Coordinates of all heavy atoms in Angstrom, one line a residue:
M1 N -4.9 5.9 18.3 CA -4.4 6.6 17.2 C -3.5 7.8 17.7 O -3.9 8.5 18.6 CB -5.5 7.2 16.3 CG -6.3 6.2 15.6 SD -5.4 5.3 14.3 CE -5.6 6.5 13.0
K2 N -2.4 8.0 17.1 CA -1.6 9.1 17.5 C -2.1 10.4 16.9 O -2.7 10.3 15.9 CB -0.1 8.8 17.2 CG 0.1 8.8 15.7 CD 1.6 8.8 15.3 CE 1.7 8.9 13.8 NZ 3.1 9.1 13.4
V3 N -1.7 11.5 17.5 CA -2.1 12.7 16.9 C -1.2 13.0 15.7 O 0.0 12.8 15.8 CB -1.8 13.9 18.0 CG1 -2.1 15.2 17.3 CG2 -2.7 13.7 19.2
Q4 N -1.7 13.4 14.6 CA -0.9 13.6 13.4 C -0.2 14.9 13.5 O -0.8 15.9 13.6 CB -1.9 13.6 12.2 CG -2.7 12.3 12.2 CD -2.8 11.7 10.8 OE1 -2.8 12.5 9.8 NE2 -3.0 10.4 10.7
C5 N 1.1 14.7 13.3 CA 1.8 16.0 13.2 C 1.8 16.4 11.7 O 1.8 15.6 10.9 CB 3.3 15.8 13.7 SG 4.2 14.6 12.8
P6 N 1.8 17.7 11.5 CA 1.8 18.1 10.1 C 3.0 17.8 9.4 O 4.1 17.8 10.0 CB 1.6 19.6 10.2 CG 2.0 20.0 11.6 CD 1.8 18.8 12.4
Y7 N 2.9 17.4 8.1 CA 4.1 17.1 7.3 C 4.6 18.4 6.7 O 3.9 19.2 6.3 CB 3.8 16.1 6.3 CG 3.3 14.7 6.9 CD1 2.0 14.4 7.0 CD2 4.3 13.8 7.2 CE1 1.6 13.2 7.6 CE2 3.9 12.6 7.8 CZ 2.6 12.3 8.0 OH 2.2 11.1 8.6
R8 N 5.9 18.4 6.5 CA 6.6 19.5 5.8 C 7.2 19.0 4.5 O 7.7 17.9 4.4 CB 7.7 20.1 6.6 CG 7.3 21.2 7.5 CD 8.4 21.8 8.3 NE 8.0 22.6 9.3 CZ 7.5 23.9 9.2 NH1 7.5 24.4 8.0 NH2 7.1 24.5 10.2
C9 N 7.1 19.8 3.4 CA 7.7 19.5 2.2 C 9.2 19.5 2.5 O 9.8 20.4 3.1 CB 7.4 20.5 1.2 SG 8.3 20.4 -0.4
D10 N 10.0 18.5 1.9 CA 11.4 18.4 2.2 C 12.2 19.4 1.4 O 13.4 19.6 1.5 CB 11.9 17.0 1.9 CG 11.5 16.0 3.0 OD1 11.4 16.4 4.1 OD2 11.3 14.8 2.6
Y11 N 11.5 20.1 0.5 CA 12.2 21.1 -0.4 C 11.9 22.5 -0.1 O 12.8 23.4 -0.2 CB 11.9 20.7 -1.9 CG 12.6 19.4 -2.2 CD1 12.0 18.2 -2.0 CD2 14.0 19.4 -2.7 CE1 12.7 17.0 -2.2 CE2 14.6 18.2 -2.9 CZ 14.0 17.0 -2.7 OH 14.7 15.9 -2.9
C12 N 10.6 22.8 0.1 CA 10.3 24.3 0.4 C 9.7 24.5 1.8 O 9.4 25.6 2.1 CB 9.3 24.8 -0.7 SG 7.7 24.0 -0.5
L13 N 9.6 23.4 2.6 CA 9.2 23.5 3.9 C 7.7 23.9 4.1 O 7.3 24.3 5.2 CB 10.1 24.4 4.8 CG 11.6 24.0 4.7 CD1 12.4 24.9 5.6 CD2 11.8 22.5 5.1
N14 N 6.9 23.8 3.0 CA 5.5 24.0 3.2 C 4.9 23.0 4.1 O 5.4 21.9 4.2 CB 4.8 23.8 1.8 CG 4.6 25.1 1.0 OD1 4.8 26.2 1.5 ND2 4.3 24.9 -0.3
L15 N 3.9 23.4 4.8 CA 3.1 22.5 5.7 C 2.0 21.9 4.9 O 1.3 22.6 4.1 CB 2.5 23.2 6.9 CG 3.5 23.5 8.0 CD1 2.8 24.4 9.1 CD2 4.0 22.3 8.7
K16 N 1.8 20.6 5.1 CA 0.8 19.9 4.3 C -0.6 20.2 5.0 O -0.7 20.0 6.2 CB 1.0 18.4 4.3 CG 0.1 17.6 3.4 CD 0.4 16.2 3.3 CE -0.5 15.4 2.4 NZ -1.9 15.6 2.7
G17 N -1.6 20.5 4.2 CA -2.9 20.7 4.6 C -3.7 19.4 4.4 O -3.2 18.5 3.7
E18 N -4.8 19.2 5.0 CA -5.6 18.0 4.9 C -6.0 17.7 3.5 O -6.0 16.5 3.1 CB -7.0 18.2 5.6 CG -6.9 18.0 7.1 CD -6.6 16.5 7.5 OE1 -7.3 15.6 6.9 OE2 -5.7 16.3 8.3
T19 N -6.2 18.7 2.7 CA -6.7 18.4 1.3 C -5.6 18.5 0.2 O -5.9 18.4 -0.9 CB -7.8 19.4 0.9 OG1 -7.4 20.7 1.1 CG2 -9.0 19.2 1.9
N20 N -4.4 18.8 0.7 CA -3.3 18.9 -0.3 C -3.0 17.5 -0.9 O -3.0 16.5 -0.2 CB -2.0 19.5 0.3 CG -2.2 20.9 0.7 OD1 -1.7 21.3 1.7 ND2 -3.0 21.7 0.0
H21 N -2.7 17.5 -2.2 CA -2.3 16.2 -2.8 C -0.8 16.3 -3.0 O -0.3 16.9 -3.9 CB -3.1 16.0 -4.1 CG -4.5 15.8 -3.9 ND1 -5.1 14.7 -3.4 CD2 -5.5 16.7 -4.1 CE1 -6.4 14.8 -3.3 NE2 -6.7 16.0 -3.7
W22 N -0.1 15.6 -2.2 CA 1.3 15.6 -2.3 C 1.9 14.2 -2.8 O 1.1 13.3 -3.1 CB 1.9 15.8 -0.9 CG 1.8 17.2 -0.4 CD1 1.0 18.2 -0.8 CD2 2.7 17.8 0.6 NE1 1.2 19.3 -0.2 CE2 2.2 19.2 0.7 CE3 3.7 17.4 1.4 CZ2 2.8 20.1 1.6 CZ3 4.3 18.3 2.3 CH2 3.9 19.6 2.4
W23 N 3.2 14.2 -3.0 CA 3.8 12.9 -3.4 C 4.9 12.5 -2.4 O 5.4 13.3 -1.7 CB 4.4 13.1 -4.8 CG 3.4 13.4 -5.8 CD1 2.7 12.6 -6.6 CD2 3.0 14.8 -6.2 NE1 1.8 13.3 -7.4 CE2 2.0 14.6 -7.2 CE3 3.3 16.0 -5.8 CZ2 1.4 15.7 -7.8 CZ3 2.7 17.1 -6.4 CH2 1.7 16.9 -7.4
L24 N 5.3 11.3 -2.6 CA 6.4 10.8 -1.8 C 7.4 10.3 -2.8 O 7.1 9.7 -3.8 CB 5.9 9.6 -0.9 CG 4.9 10.0 0.2 CD1 4.3 8.8 0.8 CD2 5.6 10.8 1.3
R25 N 8.7 10.4 -2.4 CA 9.8 9.9 -3.2 C 10.6 8.9 -2.4 O 11.2 9.4 -1.4 CB 10.7 11.0 -3.8 CG 11.7 10.4 -4.8 CD 12.6 11.5 -5.3 NE 13.7 11.7 -4.5 CZ 14.8 11.0 -4.4 NH1 14.9 9.9 -5.2 NH2 15.8 11.2 -3.7
P26 N 10.6 7.6 -2.8 CA 11.6 6.7 -2.1 C 13.0 7.2 -2.4 O 13.3 7.5 -3.6 CB 11.3 5.4 -2.7 CG 10.1 5.5 -3.6 CD 9.9 7.0 -3.8
Q27 N 13.8 7.2 -1.4 CA 15.2 7.7 -1.6 C 16.0 6.6 -2.2 O 16.7 5.8 -1.6 CB 15.8 8.2 -0.3 CG 15.1 9.5 0.1 CD 15.7 10.0 1.4 OE1 15.9 9.3 2.4 NE2 15.9 11.3 1.5
D28 N 15.9 6.4 -3.6 CA 16.5 5.3 -4.3 C 17.5 5.9 -5.3 O 17.1 6.7 -6.2 CB 15.3 4.6 -5.0 CG 15.8 3.4 -5.7 OD1 17.0 3.2 -6.0 OD2 14.9 2.5 -6.0
A29 N 18.7 5.5 -5.2 CA 19.8 6.0 -6.1 C 19.7 5.4 -7.5 O 20.2 6.0 -8.4 CB 21.1 5.7 -5.5
E30 N 19.0 4.3 -7.6 CA 19.0 3.6 -8.9 C 17.9 4.2 -9.8 O 18.0 4.1 -11.0 CB 18.7 2.1 -8.7 CG 19.9 1.4 -8.0 CD 21.2 1.6 -8.7 OE1 21.2 1.5 -10.0 OE2 22.2 1.9 -8.1
Q31 N 16.8 4.6 -9.2 CA 15.7 5.1 -10.1 C 15.0 6.2 -9.4 O 14.8 6.2 -8.2 CB 14.8 4.0 -10.5 CG 14.2 3.2 -9.3 CD 13.2 2.1 -9.8 OE1 12.4 2.3 -10.8 NE2 13.3 1.0 -9.2
F32 N 14.5 7.1 -10.2 CA 13.7 8.3 -9.7 C 12.3 7.9 -9.7 O 11.7 7.7 -10.8 CB 14.0 9.5 -10.5 CG 13.3 10.7 -9.9 CD1 13.9 11.5 -8.9 CD2 12.1 11.1 -10.4 CE1 13.2 12.6 -8.4 CE2 11.4 12.2 -9.9 CZ 12.0 13.0 -8.9
R33 N 11.6 7.9 -8.6 CA 10.2 7.5 -8.6 C 9.5 8.5 -7.7 O 10.0 8.9 -6.7 CB 10.0 6.1 -8.0 CG 10.4 5.0 -9.0 CD 9.9 3.7 -8.5 NE 10.4 3.3 -7.2 CZ 9.7 2.7 -6.3 NH1 8.5 2.4 -6.5 NH2 10.3 2.3 -5.2
L34 N 8.3 8.8 -8.1 CA 7.3 9.5 -7.2 C 6.1 8.6 -7.0 O 5.6 8.0 -8.0 CB 6.9 10.8 -7.8 CG 7.9 11.9 -7.9 CD1 7.3 13.1 -8.6 CD2 8.4 12.3 -6.6
V35 N 5.6 8.6 -5.8 CA 4.4 7.8 -5.6 C 3.4 8.7 -4.9 O 3.7 9.7 -4.3 CB 4.7 6.6 -4.6 CG1 5.6 5.6 -5.3 CG2 5.2 7.0 -3.3
R36 N 2.1 8.4 -5.1 CA 1.1 9.2 -4.6 C 1.2 9.2 -3.0 O 1.6 8.2 -2.5 CB -0.3 8.7 -5.1 CG -0.5 9.1 -6.5 CD -1.6 8.3 -7.1 NE -2.9 8.9 -6.6 CZ -4.1 8.5 -7.0 NH1 -4.2 7.6 -7.9 NH2 -5.2 9.0 -6.5
W37 N 0.7 10.2 -2.4 CA 0.8 10.3 -1.0 C 0.1 9.1 -0.3 O -1.0 8.8 -0.7 CB 0.1 11.6 -0.5 CG 0.3 11.8 0.9 CD1 -0.6 11.5 1.9 CD2 1.4 12.5 1.6 NE1 -0.1 11.9 3.2 CE2 1.1 12.5 3.0 CE3 2.6 13.1 1.1 CZ2 2.0 13.0 3.9 CZ3 3.5 13.6 2.0 CH2 3.2 13.6 3.4
D38 N 0.8 8.5 0.6 CA 0.3 7.4 1.3 C 0.6 7.6 2.8 O 1.7 7.8 3.2 CB 0.9 6.1 0.8 CG 0.3 4.9 1.6 OD1 0.5 4.8 2.8 OD2 -0.3 4.0 0.9
Q39 N -0.4 7.7 3.6 CA -0.3 8.1 5.0 C 0.7 7.2 5.7 O 1.5 7.6 6.6 CB -1.6 8.0 5.7 CG -1.7 8.8 7.0 CD -1.4 10.3 6.7 OE1 -2.1 10.9 5.9 NE2 -0.4 10.8 7.4
Q40 N 0.7 5.9 5.4 CA 1.6 5.0 6.0 C 3.1 5.1 5.6 O 4.0 5.1 6.4 CB 1.2 3.5 5.8 CG -0.1 3.3 6.6 CD -0.7 1.9 6.3 OE1 -0.4 1.2 5.3 NE2 -1.4 1.4 7.3
L41 N 3.2 5.3 4.3 CA 4.6 5.5 3.7 C 5.2 6.8 4.2 O 6.4 6.9 4.5 CB 4.6 5.5 2.2 CG 4.2 4.2 1.5 CD1 4.2 4.4 0.0 CD2 5.2 3.1 1.9
A42 N 4.3 7.8 4.4 CA 4.8 9.2 4.8 C 5.5 9.2 6.1 O 6.3 10.0 6.4 CB 3.6 10.1 4.8
D43 N 5.1 8.2 7.0 CA 5.7 8.1 8.3 C 7.1 7.3 8.3 O 7.8 7.3 9.3 CB 4.8 7.5 9.3 CG 3.7 8.4 9.7 OD1 4.0 9.6 9.8 OD2 2.6 8.0 10.1
L44 N 7.4 6.7 7.2 CA 8.6 5.9 7.2 C 9.8 6.7 6.9 O 9.7 7.8 6.2 CB 8.5 4.8 6.1 CG 7.4 3.8 6.2 CD1 7.4 2.9 5.0 CD2 7.5 3.0 7.5
D45 N 10.9 6.3 7.4 CA 12.2 6.8 7.0 C 12.5 6.5 5.6 O 12.1 5.4 5.1 CB 13.4 6.3 7.9 CG 13.3 6.9 9.3 OD1 12.7 7.9 9.5 OD2 13.9 6.2 10.2
G46 N 13.2 7.4 4.9 CA 13.6 7.0 3.5 C 12.6 7.5 2.5 O 12.8 7.2 1.3
Y47 N 11.6 8.2 2.9 CA 10.7 8.8 1.9 C 10.7 10.4 2.0 O 10.6 10.9 3.1 CB 9.3 8.4 2.1 CG 9.0 7.0 1.6 CD1 9.3 5.9 2.3 CD2 8.5 6.9 0.3 CE1 9.1 4.6 1.8 CE2 8.3 5.6 -0.2 CZ 8.5 4.5 0.5 OH 8.3 3.2 0.0
E48 N 11.0 11.0 0.9 CA 10.9 12.5 0.9 C 9.4 12.9 0.7 O 8.7 12.2 0.0 CB 11.8 13.0 -0.2 CG 13.2 12.8 0.0 CD 14.1 13.4 -1.1 OE1 13.6 13.7 -2.1 OE2 15.3 13.6 -0.8
H49 N 9.1 14.0 1.2 CA 7.7 14.6 1.1 C 7.8 15.7 0.1 O 8.5 16.7 0.3 CB 7.2 15.0 2.5 CG 7.4 14.0 3.5 ND1 8.5 13.9 4.4 CD2 6.7 12.9 3.8 CE1 8.4 12.9 5.2 NE2 7.3 12.2 4.9
I50 N 7.0 15.7 -0.9 CA 7.1 16.6 -2.0 C 5.7 17.3 -2.2 O 4.7 16.5 -2.4 CB 7.6 16.0 -3.3 CG1 9.0 15.5 -3.0 CG2 7.5 16.9 -4.5 CD1 9.7 14.7 -4.1
C51 N 5.6 18.6 -2.2 CA 4.4 19.3 -2.2 C 3.9 19.7 -3.6 O 2.7 19.9 -3.7 CB 4.4 20.5 -1.3 SG 5.3 21.9 -2.0
S52 N 4.7 19.8 -4.5 CA 4.3 20.4 -5.8 C 5.2 20.0 -6.9 O 6.2 19.4 -6.8 CB 4.4 22.0 -5.6 OG 5.8 22.3 -5.5
E53 N 4.7 20.4 -8.1 CA 5.5 20.1 -9.3 C 6.9 20.7 -9.2 O 7.9 20.1 -9.6 CB 4.8 20.6 -10.6 CG 5.4 20.1 -11.8 CD 4.5 20.6 -13.0 OE1 3.3 20.8 -12.9 OE2 5.1 20.7 -14.1
S54 N 7.0 22.0 -8.8 CA 8.3 22.6 -8.7 C 9.2 21.9 -7.7 O 10.4 21.8 -7.9 CB 8.1 24.1 -8.4 OG 7.6 24.3 -7.1
C55 N 8.7 21.4 -6.6 CA 9.5 20.7 -5.7 C 9.9 19.3 -6.2 O 11.0 18.8 -6.0 CB 8.8 20.6 -4.3 SG 8.8 22.2 -3.5
A56 N 9.0 18.7 -7.0 CA 9.4 17.5 -7.7 C 10.5 17.7 -8.6 O 11.4 16.9 -8.8 CB 8.1 16.9 -8.4
A57 N 10.5 18.9 -9.3 CA 11.6 19.2 -10.2 C 12.9 19.4 -9.4 O 14.0 19.0 -9.9 CB 11.3 20.5 -11.0
K58 N 12.8 20.0 -8.3 CA 14.0 20.1 -7.4 C 14.5 18.7 -7.0 O 15.7 18.5 -7.0 CB 13.7 20.9 -6.2 CG 13.5 22.4 -6.4 CD 13.2 23.1 -5.1 CE 12.4 24.4 -5.3 NZ 11.8 24.9 -4.1
A59 N 13.6 17.9 -6.7 CA 14.0 16.5 -6.3 C 14.7 15.8 -7.4 O 15.7 15.1 -7.3 CB 12.8 15.7 -5.8
L60 N 14.1 16.0 -8.6 CA 14.7 15.4 -9.8 C 16.2 15.9 -10.1 O 17.1 15.1 -10.3 CB 13.9 15.6 -11.0 CG 14.4 15.0 -12.4 CD1 14.6 13.5 -12.3 CD2 13.4 15.4 -13.5
S61 N 16.3 17.2 -9.9 CA 17.7 17.8 -10.1 C 18.7 17.2 -9.1 O 19.8 16.9 -9.5 CB 17.6 19.3 -9.9 OG 16.8 19.9 -10.9
K62 N 18.2 17.1 -7.9 CA 19.1 16.6 -6.9 C 19.5 15.1 -7.2 O 20.6 14.7 -7.1 CB 18.4 16.6 -5.5 CG 19.3 16.3 -4.3 CD 18.5 16.5 -3.0 CE 18.4 15.1 -2.3 NZ 17.7 15.2 -1.1
W63 N 18.4 14.4 -7.6 CA 18.7 13.0 -8.0 C 19.6 12.8 -9.2 O 20.5 12.0 -9.2 CB 17.3 12.3 -8.2 CG 17.5 10.8 -8.6 CD1 17.6 9.8 -7.7 CD2 17.6 10.3 -9.9 NE1 17.8 8.6 -8.4 CE2 17.8 8.9 -9.7 CE3 17.5 10.8 -11.2 CZ2 17.9 8.0 -10.8 CZ3 17.7 9.9 -12.2 CH2 17.8 8.6 -12.1
L64 N 19.4 13.7 -10.2 CA 20.3 13.6 -11.3 C 21.7 13.9 -11.0 O 22.6 13.3 -11.5 CB 19.8 14.6 -12.4 CG 18.5 14.3 -13.1 CD1 18.1 15.4 -14.0 CD2 18.7 13.0 -14.0
A65 N 21.9 14.9 -10.1 CA 23.3 15.2 -9.7 C 23.9 14.0 -9.0 O 25.1 13.7 -9.2 CB 23.2 16.4 -8.7
Q66 N 23.1 13.3 -8.1 CA 23.7 12.1 -7.5 C 23.9 11.0 -8.5 O 24.9 10.4 -8.4 CB 22.7 11.6 -6.4 CG 22.6 12.6 -5.2 CD 21.5 12.1 -4.3 OE1 20.6 11.4 -4.6 NE2 21.5 12.7 -3.1
A67 N 23.0 10.9 -9.4 CA 23.1 9.8 -10.4 C 24.3 10.0 -11.3 O 25.0 9.0 -11.7 CB 21.8 9.7 -11.2
S68 N 24.6 11.2 -11.7 CA 25.7 11.4 -12.6 C 27.0 11.1 -11.9 O 28.0 10.7 -12.6 CB 25.7 12.9 -13.1 OG 25.9 13.8 -12.0
G69 N 27.1 11.2 -10.6 CA 28.2 10.8 -9.8 C 28.4 9.3 -9.9 O 29.5 8.8 -9.8
N70 N 27.3 8.6 -10.1 CA 27.4 7.1 -10.1 C 27.7 6.5 -11.5 O 28.1 5.4 -11.6 CB 26.0 6.5 -9.7 CG 25.7 6.7 -8.2 OD1 26.7 6.9 -7.5 ND2 24.5 6.8 -7.9
L71 N 27.6 7.4 -12.5 CA 27.8 6.9 -13.9 C 29.2 6.3 -14.1 O 29.3 5.4 -14.9 CB 27.5 8.0 -14.9 CG 26.1 8.3 -15.2 CD1 26.0 9.4 -16.2 CD2 25.4 7.1 -15.7
V72 N 30.2 6.9 -13.4 CA 31.5 6.5 -13.6 C 31.7 5.0 -13.4 O 32.5 4.4 -14.1 CB 32.4 7.3 -12.6 CG1 33.9 6.9 -12.8 CG2 32.2 8.8 -12.9
R73 N 31.0 4.4 -12.5 CA 31.2 3.0 -12.1 C 30.2 2.1 -12.7 O 30.1 0.9 -12.3 CB 31.3 2.8 -10.6 CG 30.1 3.3 -9.9 CD 30.1 2.8 -8.4 NE 28.9 3.3 -7.7 CZ 27.8 2.6 -7.8 NH1 27.7 1.5 -8.5 NH2 26.7 3.1 -7.1
T74 N 29.3 2.6 -13.7 CA 28.3 1.7 -14.3 C 28.5 1.6 -15.8 O 28.1 2.6 -16.5 CB 26.9 2.1 -14.0 OG1 26.8 3.5 -14.1 CG2 26.5 1.8 -12.5
P75 N 29.2 0.6 -16.3 CA 29.5 0.5 -17.8 C 28.3 -0.1 -18.5 O 28.5 -0.6 -19.6 CB 30.7 -0.4 -17.8 CG 30.5 -1.2 -16.6 CD 29.8 -0.4 -15.6
A76 N 27.1 -0.1 -18.0 CA 26.0 -0.9 -18.5 C 25.6 -0.5 -20.0 O 25.1 -1.2 -20.7 CB 24.8 -0.8 -17.6
K77 N 25.8 0.8 -20.3 CA 25.2 1.3 -21.5 C 26.3 1.4 -22.6 O 26.1 2.2 -23.6 CB 24.6 2.7 -21.3 CG 23.4 2.8 -20.4 CD 22.2 2.3 -21.2 CE 21.0 2.1 -20.3 NZ 20.5 3.3 -19.6
E78 N 27.4 0.7 -22.5 CA 28.5 0.9 -23.4 C 28.1 0.6 -24.9 O 28.5 1.3 -25.8 CB 29.7 0.0 -23.0 CG 30.8 0.9 -22.4 CD 31.9 0.0 -21.8 OE1 32.2 -1.0 -22.5 OE2 32.4 0.4 -20.8
H79 N 27.4 -0.5 -25.1 CA 27.1 -0.9 -26.5 C 26.2 0.2 -27.2 O 26.3 0.5 -28.3 CB 26.5 -2.2 -26.6 CG 25.3 -2.4 -25.7 ND1 25.3 -2.6 -24.4 CD2 24.0 -2.4 -26.1 CE1 24.1 -2.7 -23.9 NE2 23.3 -2.6 -24.9
S80 N 25.3 0.8 -26.4 CA 24.4 1.8 -27.0 C 25.2 3.1 -27.3 O 24.9 3.8 -28.2 CB 23.2 2.1 -26.1 OG 23.6 2.6 -24.9
L81 N 26.2 3.4 -26.5 CA 27.1 4.5 -26.7 C 27.8 4.4 -28.1 O 28.0 5.3 -28.9 CB 28.1 4.7 -25.6 CG 27.5 5.5 -24.4 CD1 28.6 5.6 -23.3 CD2 27.0 6.9 -24.7
S82 N 28.3 3.1 -28.3 CA 29.2 2.9 -29.5 C 28.3 3.0 -30.7 O 28.8 3.4 -31.8 CB 29.9 1.6 -29.4 OG 28.9 0.6 -29.4
A83 N 27.0 2.8 -30.6 CA 26.1 2.9 -31.8 C 25.9 4.4 -32.1 O 25.8 4.7 -33.3 CB 24.7 2.3 -31.4
V84 N 26.1 5.3 -31.1 CA 25.9 6.7 -31.4 C 27.1 7.3 -32.1 O 27.0 8.1 -32.9 CB 25.6 7.5 -30.1 CG1 25.7 9.0 -30.3 CG2 24.3 7.0 -29.5
Q85 N 28.3 6.8 -31.7 CA 29.6 7.3 -32.2 C 29.8 7.1 -33.7 O 29.5 6.0 -34.2 CB 30.7 6.8 -31.4 CG 30.8 7.4 -30.0 CD 31.7 6.7 -29.1 OE1 32.2 5.6 -29.4 NE2 31.9 7.2 -27.9
Ligands
LIG101 ZN1 7.5 22.0 -1.6

């Protein structure tokens, strides 16, 4: 077993303690998801480490900003938009 290096929150740089309940976010442009902390996933590339509700909110804001940039090229919701107009 390797020695565990402490994890840092990707948003506020908090260090994770043994008993902290954190979340992981797969870096997925299509959908925003949080998953419960999983020791194996935490070591993988492509997962953000999130320590708290406020950092989850920051992650969501960042994702929304990226997602709105993608809206231009996804015409998937056109029929629902016309129903609103
Ligand atoms: Zn944090």
Side-chain angles (χ1 to χ4, degrees):
M1 294 291 278
K2 67 170 182 169
V3 177
Q4 305 223 330
C5 61
Y7 295 96
R8 270 183 194 280
C9 174
D10 286 328
Y11 289 88
C12 68
L13 306 182
N14 266 346
L15 283 173
K16 186 178 184 305
E18 278 293 312
T19 58
N20 294 145
H21 296 287
W22 284 24
W23 297 272
L24 296 166
R25 188 181 86 78
Q27 293 180 316
D28 185 338
E30 294 303 315
Q31 55 180 318
F32 183 87
R33 288 194 296 143
L34 289 177
V35 296
R36 290 168 70 174
W37 187 265
D38 181 299
Q39 200 61 56
Q40 292 179 330
L41 293 180
D43 282 332
L44 297 178
D45 286 340
Y47 281 85
E48 292 182 343
H49 311 94
I50 294 173
C51 75
S52 64
E53 189 175 337
S54 65
C55 288
K58 287 180 206 167
L60 177 60
S61 298
K62 190 179 119 182
W63 180 84
L64 287 172
Q66 289 172 346
S68 65
N70 290 335
L71 280 181
V72 181
R73 60 171 180 80
T74 45
K77 294 280 168 66
E78 254 175 38
H79 55 281
S80 59
L81 279 179
S82 63
V84 172
Q85 284 164 356

